[in-house]
Amino acid sequence: MDHSNDTPRIWICRRPVVSPFTKGRVSPILWRMSEELSLHQRRRHPTPAELQGIPWLAALAPDERGRAMEALVVGDAQVGDFVCRRGRPVTYWFGVVEGLLKMSTDNARGQTMTFAGVPPGGWFGEGTAVKREPYRYDIQALRRSVVAGLPIDTFHWLLDHSLGFNRFVMQQLNERLGQFIAAREIDRLGSPDARVARGLAALFNPLLYPGVGHVLRITQQELGYLVGLSRQRVNEALAALQAQGAIRVEYGGLRVLDLPALRDSVFVSGCETEGAGGRHESGRRNASGRSAPPAGRAAAEPPAGPRRAAGRRAAGRTLSPAGPASP
Protein backbone atom coordinates (compact mmCIF):
# COMPACT_ATOMS: atom_id res chain seq x y z
CA MET A 1 0.00 0.00 0.00
CA ASP A 2 1.22 3.48 -0.85
CA HIS A 3 1.22 5.73 2.25
CA SER A 4 2.20 8.92 0.39
CA ASN A 5 -1.42 10.13 0.55
CA ASP A 6 -4.74 9.12 2.07
CA THR A 7 -5.97 7.27 -1.00
CA PRO A 8 -5.60 3.49 -0.58
CA ARG A 9 -3.89 1.82 -3.51
CA ILE A 10 -3.53 -1.85 -4.35
CA TRP A 11 -0.14 -2.99 -5.65
CA ILE A 12 -0.43 -5.80 -8.17
CA CYS A 13 2.36 -6.52 -10.65
CA ARG A 14 4.25 -3.51 -9.24
CA ARG A 15 1.65 -1.04 -10.50
CA PRO A 16 -0.54 0.98 -8.07
CA VAL A 17 -4.24 0.57 -8.84
CA VAL A 18 -6.93 2.48 -6.96
CA SER A 19 -9.80 0.16 -6.03
CA PRO A 20 -13.15 1.69 -7.14
CA PHE A 21 -15.22 -0.75 -5.04
CA THR A 22 -14.06 -0.13 -1.47
CA LYS A 23 -14.94 3.57 -0.93
CA GLY A 24 -11.55 4.48 0.40
CA ARG A 25 -10.95 1.12 2.15
CA VAL A 26 -8.81 -1.78 0.97
CA SER A 27 -10.85 -4.84 0.00
CA PRO A 28 -9.80 -7.90 2.06
CA ILE A 29 -9.68 -9.98 -1.14
CA LEU A 30 -7.44 -7.48 -2.91
CA TRP A 31 -5.33 -7.16 0.21
CA ARG A 32 -4.74 -10.92 0.25
CA MET A 33 -3.86 -10.77 -3.45
CA SER A 34 -1.24 -8.13 -2.71
CA GLU A 35 0.16 -10.27 0.11
CA GLU A 36 0.43 -13.50 -1.90
CA LEU A 37 3.86 -14.39 -3.19
CA SER A 38 5.03 -17.22 -5.39
CA LEU A 39 6.94 -20.12 -3.90
CA HIS A 40 10.10 -18.77 -5.52
CA GLN A 41 9.53 -15.37 -3.91
CA ARG A 42 9.05 -17.06 -0.52
CA ARG A 43 12.42 -18.80 -0.67
CA ARG A 44 14.77 -18.54 2.30
CA HIS A 45 17.93 -20.12 3.68
CA PRO A 46 17.43 -23.53 5.31
CA THR A 47 17.70 -23.97 9.04
CA PRO A 48 20.27 -26.40 10.54
CA ALA A 49 17.46 -28.90 11.24
CA GLU A 50 16.29 -28.69 7.62
CA LEU A 51 19.83 -29.25 6.35
CA GLN A 52 20.02 -32.44 8.41
CA GLY A 53 17.01 -33.74 6.49
CA ILE A 54 18.85 -33.56 3.12
CA PRO A 55 20.30 -37.06 2.64
CA TRP A 56 22.92 -36.42 -0.06
CA LEU A 57 24.84 -33.73 1.87
CA ALA A 58 26.57 -36.44 3.92
CA ALA A 59 28.02 -37.95 0.72
CA LEU A 60 29.93 -34.75 -0.18
CA ALA A 61 33.46 -33.74 0.70
CA PRO A 62 33.76 -30.76 3.12
CA ASP A 63 34.43 -28.17 0.41
CA GLU A 64 31.65 -29.57 -1.80
CA ARG A 65 29.25 -29.58 1.13
CA GLY A 66 30.05 -25.97 1.94
CA ARG A 67 29.38 -24.87 -1.63
CA ALA A 68 26.09 -26.78 -1.73
CA MET A 69 24.89 -25.41 1.62
CA GLU A 70 25.54 -21.85 0.45
CA ALA A 71 23.44 -22.40 -2.68
CA LEU A 72 20.54 -24.35 -1.11
CA VAL A 73 17.25 -22.57 -0.55
CA VAL A 74 13.92 -23.72 0.88
CA GLY A 75 10.35 -22.56 0.39
CA ASP A 76 7.17 -23.11 2.39
CA ALA A 77 4.61 -24.49 -0.07
CA GLN A 78 0.92 -24.18 0.69
CA VAL A 79 -1.70 -26.74 -0.32
CA GLY A 80 -2.13 -26.60 -4.10
CA ASP A 81 1.09 -24.69 -4.79
CA PHE A 82 2.96 -25.84 -7.89
CA VAL A 83 6.65 -26.48 -7.35
CA CYS A 84 7.21 -27.35 -11.03
CA ARG A 85 4.99 -26.76 -14.05
CA ARG A 86 4.96 -28.75 -17.25
CA GLY A 87 6.81 -26.98 -20.09
CA ARG A 88 8.75 -24.66 -17.77
CA PRO A 89 12.57 -24.65 -17.88
CA VAL A 90 14.41 -26.35 -15.05
CA THR A 91 16.04 -23.95 -12.58
CA TYR A 92 16.44 -26.10 -9.46
CA TRP A 93 16.79 -29.70 -8.39
CA PHE A 94 14.07 -30.13 -5.76
CA GLY A 95 13.58 -32.22 -2.64
CA VAL A 96 10.98 -32.53 0.12
CA VAL A 97 12.12 -31.68 3.64
CA GLU A 98 8.64 -31.93 5.13
CA GLY A 99 5.17 -32.59 3.70
CA LEU A 100 3.89 -34.43 0.62
CA LEU A 101 4.01 -33.61 -3.11
CA LYS A 102 2.34 -35.18 -6.15
CA MET A 103 3.96 -35.72 -9.57
CA SER A 104 1.30 -35.70 -12.29
CA THR A 105 0.27 -34.43 -15.70
CA ASP A 106 -3.01 -33.56 -17.43
CA ASN A 107 -3.96 -34.78 -20.89
CA ALA A 108 -5.85 -32.87 -23.60
CA ARG A 109 -9.21 -33.95 -22.13
CA GLY A 110 -8.35 -32.57 -18.72
CA GLN A 111 -7.77 -35.96 -17.11
CA THR A 112 -5.01 -36.16 -14.52
CA MET A 113 -2.44 -38.98 -14.53
CA THR A 114 -0.44 -39.30 -11.30
CA PHE A 115 3.07 -40.72 -11.64
CA ALA A 116 4.26 -40.74 -8.04
CA GLY A 117 4.03 -39.19 -4.62
CA VAL A 118 7.06 -37.55 -3.01
CA PRO A 119 7.18 -37.80 0.82
CA PRO A 120 9.86 -36.37 3.15
CA GLY A 121 13.47 -37.07 2.18
CA GLY A 122 12.64 -37.51 -1.50
CA TRP A 123 14.47 -35.64 -4.26
CA PHE A 124 13.11 -35.63 -7.78
CA GLY A 125 13.70 -34.31 -11.28
CA GLU A 126 17.34 -35.39 -11.55
CA GLY A 127 16.79 -36.67 -15.10
CA THR A 128 15.30 -33.35 -16.14
CA ALA A 129 18.11 -31.49 -14.39
CA VAL A 130 20.84 -33.56 -16.06
CA LYS A 131 19.38 -32.91 -19.52
CA ARG A 132 18.39 -29.29 -18.74
CA GLU A 133 15.11 -29.89 -20.54
CA PRO A 134 11.67 -28.45 -19.74
CA TYR A 135 9.56 -30.31 -17.20
CA ARG A 136 7.22 -32.97 -18.59
CA TYR A 137 5.06 -33.07 -15.47
CA ASP A 138 3.63 -30.93 -12.69
CA ILE A 139 4.70 -31.13 -9.05
CA GLN A 140 2.01 -29.93 -6.64
CA ALA A 141 1.79 -29.79 -2.85
CA LEU A 142 -0.93 -32.00 -1.35
CA ARG A 143 -0.36 -30.45 2.06
CA ARG A 144 1.74 -27.68 3.57
CA SER A 145 5.30 -28.66 2.74
CA VAL A 146 8.87 -27.46 3.05
CA VAL A 147 10.62 -27.83 -0.32
CA ALA A 148 14.37 -27.48 -0.82
CA GLY A 149 16.00 -26.43 -4.08
CA LEU A 150 19.56 -26.72 -5.37
CA PRO A 151 20.27 -24.29 -8.27
CA ILE A 152 20.80 -26.09 -11.56
CA ASP A 153 24.32 -24.65 -12.02
CA THR A 154 25.40 -25.94 -8.60
CA PHE A 155 23.81 -29.30 -9.43
CA HIS A 156 25.99 -29.61 -12.55
CA TRP A 157 29.07 -28.38 -10.69
CA LEU A 158 28.62 -31.22 -8.20
CA LEU A 159 28.18 -33.68 -11.06
CA ASP A 160 31.51 -32.51 -12.48
CA HIS A 161 33.44 -32.53 -9.19
CA SER A 162 31.87 -34.88 -6.64
CA LEU A 163 32.10 -38.68 -6.82
CA GLY A 164 29.74 -39.07 -3.87
CA PHE A 165 27.13 -36.86 -5.50
CA ASN A 166 27.36 -38.85 -8.73
CA ARG A 167 26.74 -42.07 -6.85
CA PHE A 168 23.68 -40.60 -5.17
CA VAL A 169 22.22 -39.38 -8.47
CA MET A 170 22.89 -42.76 -10.13
CA GLN A 171 21.09 -44.49 -7.26
CA GLN A 172 18.18 -42.09 -7.66
CA LEU A 173 17.88 -42.80 -11.38
CA ASN A 174 18.04 -46.55 -10.82
CA GLU A 175 15.41 -46.54 -8.07
CA ARG A 176 13.19 -44.20 -10.07
CA LEU A 177 13.28 -46.59 -13.02
CA GLY A 178 12.17 -49.42 -10.74
CA GLN A 179 9.42 -47.22 -9.34
CA PHE A 180 7.94 -46.51 -12.76
CA ILE A 181 8.19 -50.15 -13.80
CA ALA A 182 6.20 -51.02 -10.66
CA ALA A 183 3.65 -48.34 -11.57
CA ARG A 184 3.27 -49.95 -14.99
CA GLU A 185 2.64 -53.27 -13.27
CA ILE A 186 -0.12 -51.71 -11.17
CA ASP A 187 -1.88 -50.48 -14.31
CA ARG A 188 -1.79 -53.98 -15.78
CA LEU A 189 -3.02 -55.67 -12.59
CA GLY A 190 -6.17 -53.58 -12.58
CA SER A 191 -6.92 -54.42 -8.93
CA PRO A 192 -7.74 -51.44 -6.69
CA ASP A 193 -6.34 -53.26 -3.65
CA ALA A 194 -3.09 -54.02 -5.47
CA ARG A 195 -2.91 -50.39 -6.59
CA VAL A 196 -3.08 -49.20 -2.99
CA ALA A 197 -0.56 -51.83 -1.82
CA ARG A 198 1.99 -50.95 -4.54
CA GLY A 199 1.41 -47.23 -4.02
CA LEU A 200 2.21 -47.57 -0.33
CA ALA A 201 5.27 -49.70 -1.09
CA ALA A 202 6.57 -46.97 -3.41
CA LEU A 203 6.16 -44.33 -0.68
CA PHE A 204 8.11 -46.50 1.77
CA ASN A 205 11.15 -46.88 -0.50
CA PRO A 206 14.05 -46.34 1.93
CA LEU A 207 16.46 -45.25 -0.82
CA LEU A 208 14.22 -42.75 -2.58
CA TYR A 209 12.48 -41.50 0.58
CA PRO A 210 14.76 -42.00 3.60
CA GLY A 211 12.81 -39.49 5.67
CA VAL A 212 9.67 -41.64 5.90
CA GLY A 213 10.89 -44.47 8.14
CA HIS A 214 8.20 -46.98 9.15
CA VAL A 215 5.35 -44.50 9.66
CA LEU A 216 3.89 -42.39 6.85
CA ARG A 217 1.74 -39.41 7.78
CA ILE A 218 -0.90 -39.44 5.08
CA THR A 219 -4.68 -39.17 4.88
CA GLN A 220 -6.97 -41.44 2.90
CA GLN A 221 -7.83 -38.52 0.61
CA GLU A 222 -4.15 -37.83 -0.13
CA LEU A 223 -3.50 -41.51 -0.80
CA GLY A 224 -6.52 -41.54 -3.10
CA TYR A 225 -5.04 -38.68 -5.12
CA LEU A 226 -1.78 -40.61 -5.54
CA VAL A 227 -3.28 -43.96 -6.60
CA GLY A 228 -6.26 -42.60 -8.55
CA LEU A 229 -9.03 -44.01 -6.34
CA SER A 230 -11.83 -42.58 -4.24
CA ARG A 231 -11.37 -42.13 -0.51
CA GLN A 232 -14.01 -44.78 0.15
CA ARG A 233 -12.23 -47.35 -2.02
CA VAL A 234 -8.89 -46.53 -0.40
CA ASN A 235 -10.50 -47.09 3.00
CA GLU A 236 -11.65 -50.58 1.94
CA ALA A 237 -8.20 -51.45 0.60
CA LEU A 238 -6.48 -50.28 3.78
CA ALA A 239 -8.85 -52.41 5.84
CA ALA A 240 -7.92 -55.46 3.73
CA LEU A 241 -4.20 -54.71 4.06
CA GLN A 242 -4.53 -54.33 7.82
CA ALA A 243 -6.50 -57.57 8.10
CA GLN A 244 -3.62 -59.40 6.40
CA GLY A 245 -1.05 -57.88 8.76
CA ALA A 246 0.78 -55.82 6.12
CA ILE A 247 0.07 -52.43 7.72
CA ARG A 248 -1.45 -50.92 10.82
CA VAL A 249 -3.63 -47.83 10.50
CA GLU A 250 -2.74 -45.32 13.19
CA TYR A 251 -3.98 -41.87 14.02
CA GLY A 252 -2.95 -39.60 11.16
CA GLY A 253 -0.90 -42.18 9.29
CA LEU A 254 0.11 -45.74 8.44
CA ARG A 255 2.73 -48.07 9.90
CA VAL A 256 4.23 -50.72 7.64
CA LEU A 257 4.50 -54.16 9.23
CA ASP A 258 5.35 -56.24 6.14
CA LEU A 259 6.92 -54.23 3.29
CA PRO A 260 7.64 -57.30 1.08
CA ALA A 261 3.93 -58.18 1.20
CA LEU A 262 3.04 -54.72 -0.10
CA ARG A 263 5.55 -55.08 -2.94
CA ASP A 264 5.05 -58.68 -4.00
CA SER A 265 1.55 -59.84 -3.06
CA VAL A 266 -1.54 -59.63 -5.22
CA PHE A 267 -4.95 -58.75 -3.86
CA VAL A 268 -7.67 -60.60 -5.77
CA SER A 269 -11.13 -59.11 -5.58
CA GLY A 270 -12.51 -62.58 -6.16
CA CYS A 271 -15.60 -61.48 -8.07
CA GLU A 272 -16.05 -63.02 -11.50
CA THR A 273 -19.24 -62.59 -13.42
CA GLU A 274 -20.36 -65.43 -15.67
CA GLY A 275 -23.29 -65.18 -18.04
CA ALA A 276 -26.34 -63.04 -17.70
CA GLY A 277 -27.13 -64.46 -14.28
CA GLY A 278 -24.10 -62.67 -12.82
CA ARG A 279 -22.82 -65.65 -10.77
CA HIS A 280 -19.86 -64.66 -8.55
CA GLU A 281 -17.14 -66.92 -7.27
CA SER A 282 -14.58 -66.00 -4.60
CA GLY A 283 -11.13 -67.48 -4.25
CA ARG A 284 -7.49 -67.30 -5.28
CA ARG A 285 -5.73 -68.06 -8.51
CA ASN A 286 -3.37 -71.01 -8.34
CA ALA A 287 -0.27 -71.56 -10.47
CA SER A 288 -2.32 -72.89 -13.40
CA GLY A 289 -4.51 -69.80 -13.47
CA ARG A 290 -7.60 -71.71 -12.32
CA SER A 291 -9.69 -70.64 -9.40
CA ALA A 292 -8.49 -72.40 -6.25
CA PRO A 293 -10.87 -73.16 -3.38
CA PRO A 294 -10.78 -70.73 -0.46
CA ALA A 295 -8.64 -71.64 2.54
CA GLY A 296 -10.30 -74.00 5.02
CA ARG A 297 -12.61 -75.60 2.45
CA ALA A 298 -11.94 -78.99 0.86
CA ALA A 299 -11.50 -79.04 -2.89
CA ALA A 300 -14.05 -81.84 -3.24
CA GLU A 301 -16.73 -80.00 -1.30
CA PRO A 302 -19.98 -79.59 -3.28
CA PRO A 303 -20.75 -76.12 -4.68
CA ALA A 304 -21.95 -73.75 -2.00
CA GLY A 305 -25.53 -72.61 -1.85
CA PRO A 306 -26.64 -69.02 -2.35
CA ARG A 307 -26.26 -68.15 1.32
CA ARG A 308 -22.67 -69.37 1.59
CA ALA A 309 -21.74 -67.80 -1.75
CA ALA A 310 -23.06 -64.48 -0.51
CA GLY A 311 -21.02 -64.88 2.66
CA ARG A 312 -17.88 -65.43 0.64
CA ARG A 313 -18.58 -62.33 -1.42
CA ALA A 314 -18.90 -60.30 1.76
CA ALA A 315 -15.60 -61.67 3.04
CA GLY A 316 -13.75 -59.38 0.61
CA ARG A 317 -10.30 -59.91 -0.75
CA THR A 318 -7.46 -62.29 0.00
CA LEU A 319 -3.73 -61.69 -0.01
CA SER A 320 -1.98 -64.34 -2.09
CA PRO A 321 1.48 -64.75 -3.60
CA ALA A 322 1.91 -63.09 -6.98
CA GLY A 323 1.05 -65.41 -9.83
CA PRO A 324 0.11 -65.28 -13.51
CA ALA A 325 -2.70 -62.96 -14.46
CA SER A 326 -6.13 -64.48 -14.71
CA PRO A 327 -7.41 -65.09 -18.25
Side-chain angles (χ1 to χ4, degrees):
M1 182 182 295
D2 185 6
H3 296 283
S4 60
N5 53 52
D6 295 333
T7 304
R9 297 176 183 269
I10 308 302
W11 291 83
I12 301 176
C13 299
R14 299 182 180 179
R15 295 180 62 187
V17 180
V18 179
S19 171
F21 307 106
T22 57
K23 298 181 179 180
R25 298 186 303 275
V26 177
S27 166
I29 297 177
L30 294 176
W31 174 256
R32 285 196 296 270
M33 290 174 61
S34 67
E35 291 294 301
E36 288 179 356
L37 298 173
S38 69
L39 181 60
H40 179 71
Q41 292 171 319
R42 297 197 300 268
R43 70 190 185 278
R44 55 179 174 80
H45 291 293
T47 65
E50 291 167 342
L51 288 172
Q52 290 179 359
I54 299 177
W56 49 267
L57 282 176
L60 305 183
D63 58 327
E64 300 164 352
R65 189 180 306 114
R67 181 162 184 157
M69 290 171 63
E70 280 187 17
L72 278 166
V73 294
V74 297
D76 301 294
Q78 304 300 315
V79 178
D81 279 354
F82 283 93
V83 179
C84 309
R85 295 303 300 265
R86 182 179 181 183
R88 300 281 181 86
V90 58
T91 53
Y92 289 89
W93 181 46
F94 289 107
V96 181
V97 178
E98 181 182 337
L100 182 65
L101 307 182
K102 177 183 72 169
M103 179 186 296
S104 63
T105 186
D106 296 331
N107 60 21
R109 293 177 293 181
Q111 298 172 326
T112 299
M113 177 183 296
T114 299
F115 299 125
V118 189
W123 285 74
F124 56 90
E126 53 278 345
T128 303
V130 167
K131 293 180 287 186
R132 292 181 181 262
E133 67 178 12
Y135 289 106
R136 298 185 180 183
Y137 47 80
D138 297 324
I139 296 288
Q140 189 175 20
L142 291 181
R143 69 171 72 150
R144 295 181 64 179
S145 305
V146 178
V147 182
L150 182 71
I152 188 64
D153 291 336
T154 307
F155 175 87
H156 277 270
W157 185 90
L158 289 173
L159 283 181
D160 293 337
H161 296 85
S162 174
L163 180 60
F165 188 76
N166 274 271
R167 286 175 176 167
F168 183 88
V169 171
M170 287 176 60
Q171 175 182 277
Q172 287 281 113
L173 293 170
N174 183 53
E175 291 295 322
R176 192 79 66 197
L177 177 60
Q179 182 184 47
F180 287 122
I181 290 176
R184 185 65 173 168
E185 177 192 11
I186 294 174
D187 292 338
R188 290 183 176 273
L189 286 174
S191 167
D193 291 353
R195 186 183 296 271
V196 172
R198 297 298 194 278
L200 285 175
L203 292 173
F204 280 95
N205 186 314
L207 296 178
L208 282 176
Y209 312 124
V212 173
H214 293 286
V215 178
L216 176 65
R217 299 302 174 187
I218 192 170
T219 66
Q220 294 178 5
Q221 188 66 59
E222 291 168 344
L223 185 55
Y225 288 143
L226 296 180
V227 299
L229 296 172
S230 67
R231 185 184 62 81
Q232 293 80 2
R233 191 62 189 83
V234 168
N235 183 39
E236 294 176 8
L238 292 177
L241 286 166
Q242 182 167 243
Q244 297 297 329
I247 65 169
R248 183 169 66 240
V249 179
E250 299 180 352
Y251 180 77
L254 303 167
R255 180 179 295 274
V256 169
L257 305 178
D258 191 350
L259 185 56
L262 294 178
R263 290 174 175 167
D264 303 326
S265 299
V266 176
F267 281 79
V268 182
S269 61
C271 293
E272 295 180 352
T273 304
E274 296 183 5
R279 183 169 64 87
H280 299 279
E281 186 172 335
S282 176
R284 294 176 305 204
R285 293 284 171 179
N286 57 24
S288 65
R290 297 179 181 177
S291 180
R297 172 170 164 241
E301 183 180 343
R307 181 178 300 177
R308 293 190 61 184
R312 291 204 307 275
R313 288 198 302 271
R317 291 142 297 277
T318 59
L319 182 62
S320 61
S326 58

